[in-house]
């Protein structure tokens, strides 16, 4: 991508690092786990700096299934600690981030009663089926046992109902498009995370708001380490390199952890991540068939997959494939075929095809290197590896997932505090996140909030902004009240002052930062040629781009969307 002239706000994030080239802690990688660690340390008064080679929450954390879940399938591998922590954190996030995390009814269609009843206990104690043995879907009895155990973990916090079983007749009444041979459905609750990137930004800005002790910059990459232990950083916008020293370095670069360590001078082999892809469909029939719930089931190959109604579209996922981190991370045509087959498996009468795809995405799970027989058997738990380079302690994070980011950040932050010889003064357990502060959680509270702010922008607009940003919307509403606003000509769901506010306050550098992470325009298939033109004009106006730079950024964004997400802005997307 081209490098636009850096506006003052963007230059200042780099200057804050370059002009004070030391921190007690340098965190490399601003996915959700690096951000959570940064927040934890910042709130505890540590002088901490965070750098990310791309945009915030743009790597593995952008490839999620948009779920906060307790990990029911981890029970089969006996990972009780992880399930207990995950359920606790799920329940906590329903309270601490209710603007982005909400209860999600999840239904499992079941086509047999006794299948896998003998296999499951052996797998539980570590005896795996022979390689090449035929896969059998889990039957009703084994699913019932698993959900009953899962419910016992969910007692803490009491945030979601217990599971329900339905027979064939009730199941077809609930989901009429299901296969005729369905015997049962089981419904339990986890949680949806409808805007992962925005939740990550809220966590980030909680850390930045802690004070001058917290500095963060995107588009800054760690490219080496000196013999004296200073990390060499490069501003990817200007190409400028500078050195930064730290008492502790945290490598939180997810599936790139080994590559980051190699750049610093340490050849590690911690990671063995697997690729997971998704596609988003515009298919009203499939959306309606889900009846407001995620459909979650075991496919014929033994892979757990999902059909997930989200933002008026339907997301299909996910695969679990070995991946070389030196290769591009893309959703392949073979994976698309796989997703269409899984729809046919449960909703055989509903037609799906490539013309309905509005977005596709792929990420690599930051899993540990493993000799497991299948990718599904690799542990989803996390650990911290201790090392040292040039006399500087280096802590490498291996594993981690969205659900447990707060607990992981606190655990990793605690180890850093211990290394620094400092005591913890603040816990993030029970601390509201970003736009959750003052968020209305009852009908009466919401009505009062909408009445107050609807007087400025109208009740419908206030409701939309509250859903997008939580109570952080109040700053946008105040800006609208003080200026002349207008809906975008190419997309009336957003307005000019709303977009200008995001660009000015959220460290936007590229046009793709806006369409992919500050908004969900790309995810929901709303990016058109006209919209890119208009956004390039708005973003470029705030960031001081010349006409040539605006054109270059617009072209680069279109190329990126086509290459990474299958979104053909200038051709098929408009004709769809």
């Amino acid at each position: 991508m081209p490098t636009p002239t850096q506006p003052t706000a963007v230059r200042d994030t780099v200057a804050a690092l370059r002009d004070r080239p030391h921190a007690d802690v340098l965190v490399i990688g601003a996915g959700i786990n690096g951000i959570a660690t940064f927040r934890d340390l910042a709130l505890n008064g540590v002088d901490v700096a965070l750098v990310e080679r791309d945009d915030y929450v743009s790597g593995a954390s952008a490839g999620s299934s948009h779920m906060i879940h307790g990990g029911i399938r981890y029970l089969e591998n006996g990972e009780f600690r992880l399930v207990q922590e995950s359920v606790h954190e799920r329940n906590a996030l329903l309270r601490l981030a209710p603007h982005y995390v909400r209860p999600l009814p999840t239904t499992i269609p079941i086509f047999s009663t006794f299948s896998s009843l003998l296999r499951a206990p052996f797998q539980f104690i570590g005896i795996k089926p022979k390689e090449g043995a035929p896969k059998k879907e889990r039957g009703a009895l084994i699913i019932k046992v698993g959900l009953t155990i899962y419910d016992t973990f969910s007692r803490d916090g009491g945030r979601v109902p217990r599971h329900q079983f339905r027979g064939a007749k009730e199941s077809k009444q609930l989901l009429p498009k299901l296969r005729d041979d369905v015997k049962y459905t089981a419904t339990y609750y986890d949680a949806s995370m409808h805007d992962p990137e925005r939740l990550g930004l809220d966590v980030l800005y909680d850390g930045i708001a802690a004070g001058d002790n917290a500095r963060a910059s995107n588009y800054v990459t760690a490219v080496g380490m000196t013999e004296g232990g200073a990390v060499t950083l490069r501003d990817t916008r200007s190409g400028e390199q500078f050195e930064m020293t730290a008492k502790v370095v945290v490598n939180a670069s997810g599936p790139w952890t080994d590559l980051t360590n190699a750049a610093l001078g340490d050849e590690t082999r911690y990671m063995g991540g697997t690729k997971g892809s998704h596609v988003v469909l515009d298919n009203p029939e499939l959306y309606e068939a889900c009846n407001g719930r995620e459909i979650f089931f075991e496919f014929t190959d033994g892979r757990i997959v999902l059909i997930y109604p989200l933002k008026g579209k339907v997301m299909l996922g996910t695969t679990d494939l070995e991946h070389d981190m030196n290769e591009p991370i893309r959703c392949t045509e073979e994976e698309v075929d796989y997703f269409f087959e899984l729809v046919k498996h449960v909703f055989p009468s509903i037609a799906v095809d490539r013309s309905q795809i509005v977005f596709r995405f792929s990420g690599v799970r930051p899993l540990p290197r493993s000799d497991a027989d299948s990718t599904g058997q690799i542990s989803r738990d996390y650990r911290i590896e201790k090392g040292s380079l040039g006399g500087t302690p280096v802590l490498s994070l291996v594993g981690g997932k969205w659900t447990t980011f707060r607990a992981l950040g606190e655990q990793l932050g605690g180890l850093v505090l211990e290394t620094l010889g400092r005591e913890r003064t603040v816990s993030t357990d029970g601390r509201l996140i970003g736009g959750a502060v003052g968020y209305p959680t009852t009908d009466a509270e919401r009505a009062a909030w909408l009445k107050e702010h609807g007087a400025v922008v109208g009740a419908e607009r206030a409701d939309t902004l509250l859903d997008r940003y939580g109570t952080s919307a109040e700053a946008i509403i105040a800006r609208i009240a003080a200026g002349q606003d207008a809906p975008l000509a190419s997309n009336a769901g957003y307005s000019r002052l709303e977009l200008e506010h995001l660009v000015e306050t959220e460290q936007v550098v590229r046009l793709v930062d806006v369409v992919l992470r500050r908004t969900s325009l790309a995810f929901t298939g709303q990016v058109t040629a006209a919209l890119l033109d208009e956004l390039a004009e708005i973003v470029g106006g705030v960031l001081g781009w010349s006409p040539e730079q605006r054109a270059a950024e617009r072209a680069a964004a279109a190329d990126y969307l086509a290459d990474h997400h299958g979104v053909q802005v200038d051709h098929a997307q408009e004709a769809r």
Side-chain angles (χ1 to χ4, degrees), residues 66-68 97-102 191-199 308 310-311 439 466-469 520 523:
H66 290 62
M67 294 167 60
I68 297 293
H99 54 320
Y100 293 133
V101 180
R102 296 165 188 170
S192 69
M193 175 177 55
H194 60 86
D195 277 300
E197 292 85 356
R198 291 221 56 87
L199 175 56
Y308 186 173
L310 186 66
K311 295 179 177 289
Y439 184 79
L466 182 63
D467 271 344
R468 281 181 188 160
Y469 310 108
S520 56
F523 183 90

Side-chain angles (χ1 to χ4, degrees), residues 330-408:
R330 303 289 188 272
C331 176
T332 65
E333 293 306 316
E334 291 78 10
E335 288 174 296
V336 172
D337 291 336
Y338 179 86
F339 295 141
F340 290 169
E341 287 298 318
L342 71 87
V343 173
K344 188 185 301 183
H345 183 69
V346 291
F347 294 122
S349 67
I350 298 179
V352 292
D353 62 62
R354 280 170 169 75
S355 70
Q356 299 164 2
I357 299 176
V358 299
F359 192 71
R360 59 176 80 185
F361 62 103
S362 193
V364 175
R365 304 170 183 87
L367 304 181
R369 187 174 297 275
S370 171
D371 59 0
D373 294 332
S374 69
T375 54
Q377 293 171 11
I378 301 174
S379 173
R380 265 53 176 176
D381 212 339
Y382 57 87
R383 71 177 192 269
I384 301 158
E385 294 283 352
K386 298 180 181 180
S388 178
L389 284 167
T392 301
V394 178
L395 304 178
S396 297
L397 173 62
V398 180
K401 62 195 187 89
W402 266 100
T403 303
T404 56
F405 74 80
R406 189 217 60 81
L408 186 157

Side-chain angles (χ1 to χ4, degrees), residues 141-292:
L141 285 179
I142 197 64
I143 291 174
K144 178 69 175 177
V145 170
L147 287 173
T148 300
I149 296 172
Y150 196 55
D151 280 345
T152 66
F153 284 97
S154 295
R155 288 175 184 168
D156 125 19
R159 301 298 296 180
V160 299
R162 291 179 176 274
H163 79 272
Q164 297 174 317
F165 248 76
R166 293 179 174 89
K169 183 178 179 180
E170 279 189 285
S171 296
K172 287 289 283 184
Q173 289 172 342
L174 180 73
L175 300 165
K177 296 285 187 176
L178 274 180
R179 267 168 47 186
D180 289 337
D181 63 337
V182 66
K183 291 183 180 294
Y184 313 90
T185 54
T187 297
Y188 68 100
Y189 282 77
D190 267 324
S192 69
M193 175 177 55
H194 60 86
D195 277 300
E197 292 85 356
R198 291 221 56 87
L199 175 56
L201 289 169
D202 266 14
V203 178
L204 172 71
Y205 286 107
D206 276 359
I208 291 174
D212 293 340
N213 60 300
R215 294 170 287 164
S217 186
N218 51 356
Y219 294 97
V220 172
T221 185
V223 295
M225 180 176 268
T226 68
E227 291 184 3
V231 177
T232 303
L233 300 176
R234 182 174 68 236
D235 177 357
T236 63
R237 291 156 285 200
S238 67
E240 174 192 10
Q241 291 193 176
F242 57 97
E243 292 177 0
M244 189 165 194
T245 58
K247 296 178 181 177
V248 180
V249 172
V250 174
N251 180 356
S253 52
W256 293 273
T257 293
D258 288 331
L259 298 181
T260 299
N261 281 337
L264 297 180
D266 186 16
E267 297 290 338
T268 59
R269 288 176 55 81
Y270 299 142
M271 307 306 298
T274 64
K275 186 182 76 164
S277 296
H278 303 75
V279 296
V280 181
L281 302 183
D282 184 3
N283 186 319
E285 184 183 11
L286 183 58
Y287 183 87
E288 183 180 355
C290 292
N291 194 15

Side-chain angles (χ1 to χ4, degrees), residues 281-501:
L281 302 183
D282 184 3
N283 186 319
E285 184 183 11
L286 183 58
Y287 183 87
E288 183 180 355
C290 292
N291 194 15
R293 62 197 60 232
E294 178 189 54
I295 310 301
F296 191 70
F297 58 99
E298 183 179 15
F299 197 32
T300 53
D301 60 353
R303 172 78 192 133
I304 303 297
V305 293
L306 56 92
I307 302 173
Y308 186 173
L310 186 66
K311 295 179 177 289
K313 302 296 187 286
V314 183
M315 186 174 72
L316 308 179
T318 174
T319 50
D320 199 5
L321 306 170
E322 293 182 1
H323 185 78
D324 179 350
M325 291 307 298
N326 291 297
E327 298 297 321
I329 306 167
R330 303 289 188 272
C331 176
T332 65
E333 293 306 316
E334 291 78 10
E335 288 174 296
V336 172
D337 291 336
Y338 179 86
F339 295 141
F340 290 169
E341 287 298 318
L342 71 87
V343 173
K344 188 185 301 183
H345 183 69
V346 291
F347 294 122
S349 67
I350 298 179
V352 292
D353 62 62
R354 280 170 169 75
S355 70
Q356 299 164 2
I357 299 176
V358 299
F359 192 71
R360 59 176 80 185
F361 62 103
S362 193
V364 175
R365 304 170 183 87
L367 304 181
R369 187 174 297 275
S370 171
D371 59 0
D373 294 332
S374 69
T375 54
Q377 293 171 11
I378 301 174
S379 173
R380 265 53 176 176
D381 212 339
Y382 57 87
R383 71 177 192 269
I384 301 158
E385 294 283 352
K386 298 180 181 180
S388 178
L389 284 167
T392 301
V394 178
L395 304 178
S396 297
L397 173 62
V398 180
K401 62 195 187 89
W402 266 100
T403 303
T404 56
F405 74 80
R406 189 217 60 81
L408 186 157
E410 187 157 285
Q411 180 178 329
L412 182 47
L415 183 56
V416 171
L417 289 171
E418 180 183 315
T419 304
L420 294 173
R422 297 181 56 159
E423 296 290 329
R424 175 175 294 280
T425 58
V426 173
S427 172
T428 55
D429 195 4
R431 190 183 187 96
L432 294 172
I433 296 171
V437 176
Y439 184 79
T441 56
T442 67
D443 290 343
E445 289 173 351
R446 191 177 186 92
W449 194 96
L450 293 177
K451 181 179 180 180
E452 176 185 355
H453 298 285
V456 180
V457 295
E460 184 177 351
R461 180 70 172 150
D463 190 59
T464 296
L465 293 174
L466 182 63
D467 271 344
R468 281 181 188 160
Y469 310 108
T471 54
S472 299
E474 292 169 1
I476 297 174
I477 293 171
R479 179 174 185 139
I480 291 171
Q484 295 295 318
D485 197 21
L488 299 187
S490 55
N491 189 306
Y494 283 84
S495 74
R496 292 186 68 88
L497 289 183
E498 177 184 358
L499 267 297
E500 288 179 5
H501 178 84

Side-chain angles (χ1 to χ4, degrees), residues 16-17 20 22-28 34-51 207-208 210-217 244-246 248-250 413 416 420 422:
L17 301 176
R20 183 161 65 89
H22 176 79
D24 286 343
V25 182
L26 174 63
V27 180
I28 301 171
I35 288 173
T37 305
F38 168 77
R39 175 187 185 236
D40 185 81
L41 293 169
L43 291 171
N44 278 278
V46 174
D47 181 13
V48 57
L50 173 70
V51 296
I208 291 174
D212 293 340
N213 60 300
R215 294 170 287 164
S217 186
M244 189 165 194
T245 58
V248 180
V249 172
V250 174
V416 171
L420 294 173
R422 297 181 56 159

